[in-house]
Amino acid sequence: MLIKKLLSWLLPYTCILCGHPSHREQDLCLACHQDLPTPKTSCNICAAILSAENNMLICGQCLQQARPFDATFALFDYKTPIDKLLLELKFNQKLVNARVLGELMADKIQSTWYKTRPLPNVIIPMPLHFQRLRERGYNQAMELARPIVKRCRIPVNIHACQRIKPTAPQATLTAKERETNVKQAFTTNKRWDNDHIAVIDDVITTGNTMREFCHLLKANGAKRIDVWCCARPIHRDD
Ligand SMILES: [Zn+2]
Ligand SMILES: [Zn+2]
């Protein structure tokens, strides 16, 4: 008991993946960190995987169709062990996962994504419907945003936008159903004129929800929208 207490004082950080002391000031050890699935070439606008021969950095779909957002930054590919960490965050109250992943996003924002460009002036976590928020007790997108807000000193706005439709999980629907499922799912009580917004979400599964939300923000004046997601799917079917 005493040894355990002493150890937790000496080595207070435990890796969320292997469960061992992490030996650094983060609940993730270096070995597990280095194994995480970092995306290769992605579309600058939507973060879809690009084929090796595509050297334009914009995917075919974004070339054909204007998107309501201007850029997407994805930290990881949605595969093991990121899928597990995000599911535990959503369904098992593992808020520590959001802290670690949010810190990794903050690192990337500072070191790479915004090294040479201006930061957004406000962060909006993808809103959850109030029923789901009540069941879960927290919005996982807000939990991911916390370390970023703190480190990058960008204000977060969680009150001006609402999800007013309790939408069915997108993954269970056909492509057509997904579109109608999210139609008019959000409202905002604010104009966003001249705002450069970062919309943060855990994972962008089909893109429909994100597009619907960003449409609303753009229709209400947003100047530029950057999407930040912890993980992007490795297959896109939208
Ligand atoms: Zn580890
Ligand atoms: Zn694209």
Side-chain angles (χ1 to χ4, degrees), residues 14-22 27-33:
T14 307
C15 179
I16 52 172
L17 283 167
C18 67
H20 292 125
S22 72
D27 288 306
L28 181 68
C29 75
L30 188 61
C32 289
H33 188 174

Side-chain angles (χ1 to χ4, degrees), residues 47-152:
I49 295 184
L50 292 178
S51 57
E53 56 277 11
N54 184 332
N55 49 19
M56 299 182 62
L57 297 176
I58 295 180
C59 75
Q61 295 206 20
C62 288
L63 282 174
Q64 277 173 19
Q65 206 180 17
R67 303 289 193 183
F69 42 77
D70 302 274
T72 301
F73 299 98
L75 187 59
F76 295 117
D77 283 334
Y78 190 69
K79 54 185 182 194
T80 319
I82 296 299
D83 51 357
K84 177 177 151 283
L85 293 178
L86 290 176
L87 289 171
E88 284 175 351
L89 164 63
K90 265 193 196 164
F91 303 109
N92 293 340
Q93 316 252 326
K94 275 251 199 161
L95 295 179
V96 60
N97 293 5
R99 198 180 65 228
V100 171
L101 295 168
E103 280 167 4
L104 296 181
M105 287 176 86
D107 288 344
K108 205 71 170 181
I109 285 165
Q110 292 183 318
S111 70
T112 314
W113 296 347
Y114 291 86
K115 203 174 168 198
T116 56
R117 66 180 101 206
L119 281 167
N121 61 288
V122 60
I123 298 174
I124 306 179
M126 174 62 82
L128 268 190
H129 189 263
F130 79 92
Q131 275 170 0
R132 190 148 310 158
L133 187 62
R134 207 165 48 190
E135 285 159 19
R136 195 170 290 167
Y138 53 91
N139 175 352
Q140 69 277 5
M142 176 60 214
E143 296 308 313
L144 283 168
R146 274 182 213 286
I148 303 171
V149 169
K150 200 164 143 194
R151 179 103 63 87
C152 305

